[in-house]
Amino acid sequence: MSYWFFILPMHAIAGAFMAPFVEHTCRQPPDAYMTTTTTYTLDSNYTTNSNGSLPLPNFDASCNYLVEESDGRLVEEPCTDWDFDNSTFISTVTSEFQLVCGRKYLRATYQSMYMFGMLVGAGSTAFFADRFGRWLMIAISTMSYTVIAFVTAWLPNFSSLLAARFLLGTMHPASLMTGYILVLEVTEMKMRSVIGLTLFTSWAIGTSVFSGMAYLVRDWRWLQLFASLPGLIFIFLLCILGESPRWLAVVGQHQRALKEYKRAAVWNKVTLPPDHEILEMMARVQQQAVSTRKSNSSNKSLKIIVRNILHDFTVLMRTSKVRLVTLVMCVDYLVGAMLFFGLTLGASALGVDPFMYVAIAGIMEIPSTTIQIPIINYFGRKKVLCFNYGVSAVVLLTQPLISNDLKWLSVTLVMIGKFAGSNAFNLTFLYSLELFPTEIRSQGMNVAMTSSRIGGTIAPYIINAVDSTYPWISSVFFGAASAVAGLVLLPLWETLNTRLPDTVADLEGLTDPLQNPTVEEEEKLQASSGEDPENKKSNLPTPC
């Protein structure tokens, strides 16, 4: 899954190199009024010739041209064709489809369409991942993603390109979120923070590698093709992945879960208890589930199916703790995505080299794993998450106060905000996974992911709206949002050294806590029974 996380940023942030702002000049028709200046003056949309012009500097020569009427008046006309500066990029979506002036907003649409697809995909795949399994959703989404990415390189018009971006976006959460959940559900408690953050290190590496790839390949169609090639390898890696035994236990597929446990036991060289003990334990977990999966033919009526679907979607608001977790995570995912994608795509707003900016943005995320792991294992998830959002808020709100002559300092502050925001966003995935119970984990995290796609969708428009004219607006907006994201975390509880809750009843405290012990409680139980807590060969890696 780390390899797949390495691939995703090459398409998720493609707009930074495939649809960037490109300097352009209006290609004037033969009858245009030719002058040597680029700024003219107009009065009521027209002016007299240069001998009688009025001082109203509101004419943009890159988007309009002037035509001299028979009576000597100069009439403004919108430009319909442009010449683009190819010194940085040989070919881009911006230049090929002329996304400038009145079509400028389509550059942001190119990026946002991917995010909009993620918004739709996050809401529609959660149900299927919890109902039909993690592995199946990963297989379908990754293979579809790879095929669509390849086809995108040959699409002839902008409308079909937007459609492909949307479809790529719908497959993104099905692969990323479902894959993240599967990995963490088969990871032992003491390694969850390491594995959970390491997955996103590969995303950061993929971001930096994509920047280098874009530097070498300046044609957007070839860049799209080369970015799609790594997806072919992952199709073969699907054979290594197995289904989550936690999910199998909760939904009642105990024999399949037992098979996965035995496979894990062989890999890890451990001895499992007798089969009947494992099956009894999984049966107890299934009985605690809030939503019962109907599998017999008598329950296949449309009424029952619709009722079960509605139950699955409303369960996130049915109990107090689940409702609190859902609402807080929706806010944090929304802000985290705005920071993550907005600051990654912010090179044009700061007027800096896009290749260097994106490469540094990716490199800044790589140390987050080694830095954060010992910190969150000591201070916990909640405190570190609040701290990261606080740092991001402070530096981003400070950045507009920096003089334009100190651009290096301005970029440094933005990179610090990006680093803290990325740390927070990555940690939010781990924290939310530990808060939601297994039976609704995919639904809960994908609802939160849906919220993040709203943030990711509006972030390009924020950057595009201010461009390089008012860059401080986006910085203030992102800084204020960071402060809100940190404050809403205060009502939540810490999940450090706690078992993953399997059912809503676990989370709400309606089950025996000794069925879901912490590390310390488990060691006390083993000590009282005369067992050696370090003797891992005698302990079942239980789904409880």
Side-chain angles (χ1 to χ4, degrees):
M1 288 310 306
S2 287
Y3 179 75
W4 183 252
F5 279 38
F6 169 84
I7 297 172
L8 285 176
M10 300 184 185
H11 301 281
I13 63 169
F17 302 115
M18 297 188 189
F21 170 78
V22 181
E23 293 289 346
H24 55 280
T25 57
C26 178
R27 186 180 298 171
Q28 299 182 357
D31 61 340
Y33 180 79
M34 304 301 294
T35 67
T36 59
T37 60
T38 57
T39 302
Y40 304 90
T41 57
L42 297 174
D43 182 21
S44 300
N45 294 325
Y46 69 89
T47 185
T48 59
N49 57 26
S50 57
N51 294 326
S53 59
L54 297 176
L56 296 174
N58 59 351
F59 178 73
D60 184 1
S62 65
C63 295
N64 305 279
Y65 63 91
L66 298 175
V67 176
E68 187 173 12
E69 297 288 297
S70 57
D71 59 0
R73 291 182 304 168
L74 297 180
V75 179
E76 180 182 5
E77 296 289 342
C79 190
T80 58
D81 203 6
W82 293 266
D83 292 312
F84 291 88
D85 180 10
N86 295 326
S87 59
T88 303
F89 299 97
I90 297 175
S91 174
T92 64
V93 173
T94 304
S95 58
E96 181 172 333
F97 301 106
Q98 300 192 331
L99 308 183
V100 295
C101 299
R103 291 165 56 85
K104 173 184 174 181
Y105 70 96
L106 292 176
R107 287 197 300 111
T109 303
Y110 173 84
Q111 179 64 35
S112 291
M113 190 57 68
Y114 187 95
M115 301 299 169
F116 183 64
M118 293 175 70
L119 173 65
V120 175
S124 59
T125 59
F127 168 78
F128 295 105
D130 278 341
R131 184 57 61 107
F132 301 108
R134 286 50 165 139
W135 187 91
L136 181 62
M137 287 305 304
I138 294 172
I140 293 174
S141 59
T142 53
M143 288 189 288
S144 301
Y145 194 99
T146 302
V147 172
I148 297 169
F150 267 105
V151 172
T152 301
W154 286 279
L155 294 178
N157 55 66
F158 190 65
S159 297
S160 59
L161 185 60
L162 289 182
R165 292 286 293 170
F166 173 80
L167 292 175
L168 281 176
T170 59
M171 296 297 106
H172 182 115
S175 60
L176 183 143
M177 290 301 296
T178 310
Y180 188 81
I181 290 170
L182 186 148
V183 171
L184 270 292
E185 285 184 345
V186 299
T187 301
E188 65 174 316
M189 181 173 57
K190 292 183 178 180
M191 293 296 294
R192 279 207 306 262
S193 57
V194 177
I195 300 301
L197 295 179
T198 300
L199 283 171
F200 289 104
T201 300
S202 60
W203 176 290
I205 295 173
T207 299
S208 297
V209 169
F210 182 55
S211 178
M213 186 186 299
Y215 180 81
L216 297 174
V217 183
R218 305 295 181 95
D219 186 298
W220 80 268
R221 291 189 181 273
W222 282 105
L223 180 60
Q224 176 68 36
L225 182 63
F226 286 127
S228 305
L229 288 174
L232 294 175
I233 299 176
F234 188 80
I235 296 176
F236 298 99
L237 297 181
L238 285 171
C239 300
I240 299 176
L241 287 177
E243 185 54 88
S244 166
R246 279 184 171 275
W247 176 82
L248 291 171
V250 168
V251 299
Q253 300 186 36
H254 298 163
Q255 290 297 330
R256 286 184 61 193
L258 181 61
K259 181 178 179 181
E260 291 295 335
Y261 278 129
K262 289 183 176 180
R263 184 163 73 125
V266 172
W267 283 11
N268 292 283
K269 298 181 175 60
V270 299
T271 302
L272 298 180
D275 290 358
H276 69 88
E277 292 185 13
I278 304 176
L279 293 173
E280 289 175 1
M281 186 177 299
M282 288 190 287
R284 290 196 299 270
V285 172
Q286 184 191 8
Q287 290 171 1
Q288 296 172 4
V290 172
S291 55
T292 304
R293 270 57 178 180
K294 308 292 184 179
S295 58
N296 54 60
S297 59
S298 62
N299 288 332
K300 294 298 182 179
S301 68
L302 179 60
K303 180 179 178 181
I304 296 297
I305 293 175
V306 171
R307 188 176 67 183
N308 288 340
I309 293 175
L310 291 176
H311 180 279
D312 285 341
F313 280 111
T314 58
V315 72
L316 295 174
M317 294 293 172
R318 191 165 296 168
T319 59
S320 60
K321 287 188 176 181
V322 173
R323 182 166 56 249
L324 175 62
V325 171
T326 301
L327 295 176
V328 172
M329 287 299 108
C330 281
V331 173
D332 273 44
Y333 269 76
L334 185 146
V335 174
M338 279 200 307
L339 292 173
F340 191 88
F341 291 103
L343 297 180
T344 301
L345 300 170
S348 62
L350 294 172
V352 297
D353 179 79
F355 306 107
M356 185 64 67
Y357 181 90
V358 174
I360 293 176
I363 293 172
M364 288 290 289
E365 297 175 35
I366 295 176
S368 66
T369 301
T370 54
I371 293 175
Q372 281 210 108
I373 288 174
I375 295 176
I376 65 174
N377 284 339
Y378 183 82
F379 292 101
R381 282 69 158 132
K382 177 181 172 180
K383 291 180 181 178
V384 177
L385 195 54
C386 291
F387 175 79
N388 279 322
Y389 276 124
V391 170
S392 181
V394 170
V395 297
L396 291 177
L397 291 174
T398 303
Q399 188 268 341
L401 304 177
I402 304 301
S403 171
N404 292 332
D405 297 331
L406 299 174
K407 183 170 289 187
W408 65 270
L409 180 57
S410 180
V411 173
T412 300
L413 289 177
V414 172
M415 285 295 103
I416 294 175
K418 173 70 166 61
F419 176 70
S422 298
N423 286 348
F425 194 36
N426 295 343
L427 184 53
T428 301
F429 279 77
L430 175 64
Y431 191 36
S432 62
L433 181 139
E434 294 179 336
L435 288 170
F436 285 111
T438 299
E439 65 172 332
I440 58 169
R441 182 168 294 123
S442 182
Q443 290 169 254
M445 292 187 68
N446 276 284
V447 166
M449 189 72 166
T450 301
S451 177
S452 77
R453 293 318 106 203
I454 298 175
T457 300
I458 65 177
Y461 287 104
I462 297 172
I463 296 296
N464 186 67
V466 300
D467 250 358
S468 57
T469 308
Y470 303 106
W472 61 269
I473 295 179
S474 60
S475 184
V476 169
F477 182 85
F478 292 144
S482 299
V484 172
L487 291 174
V488 298
L489 288 166
L490 297 180
L492 293 182
W493 51 90
E494 183 55 61
T495 59
L496 177 64
N497 290 334
T498 60
R499 296 289 185 185
L500 292 179
D502 280 312
T503 67
V504 174
D506 285 343
L507 184 64
E508 297 293 336
L510 302 178
T511 58
D512 184 353
L514 292 183
Q515 293 181 0
N516 207 20
T518 64
V519 172
E520 292 79 5
E521 290 170 340
E522 185 182 62
E523 292 177 349
K524 289 179 180 178
L525 288 172
Q526 291 170 337
S528 63
S529 61
E531 296 182 12
D532 181 3
E534 299 298 326
N535 184 12
K536 300 297 182 184
K537 293 184 180 295
S538 63
N539 296 327
L540 169 67
T542 167
C544 294

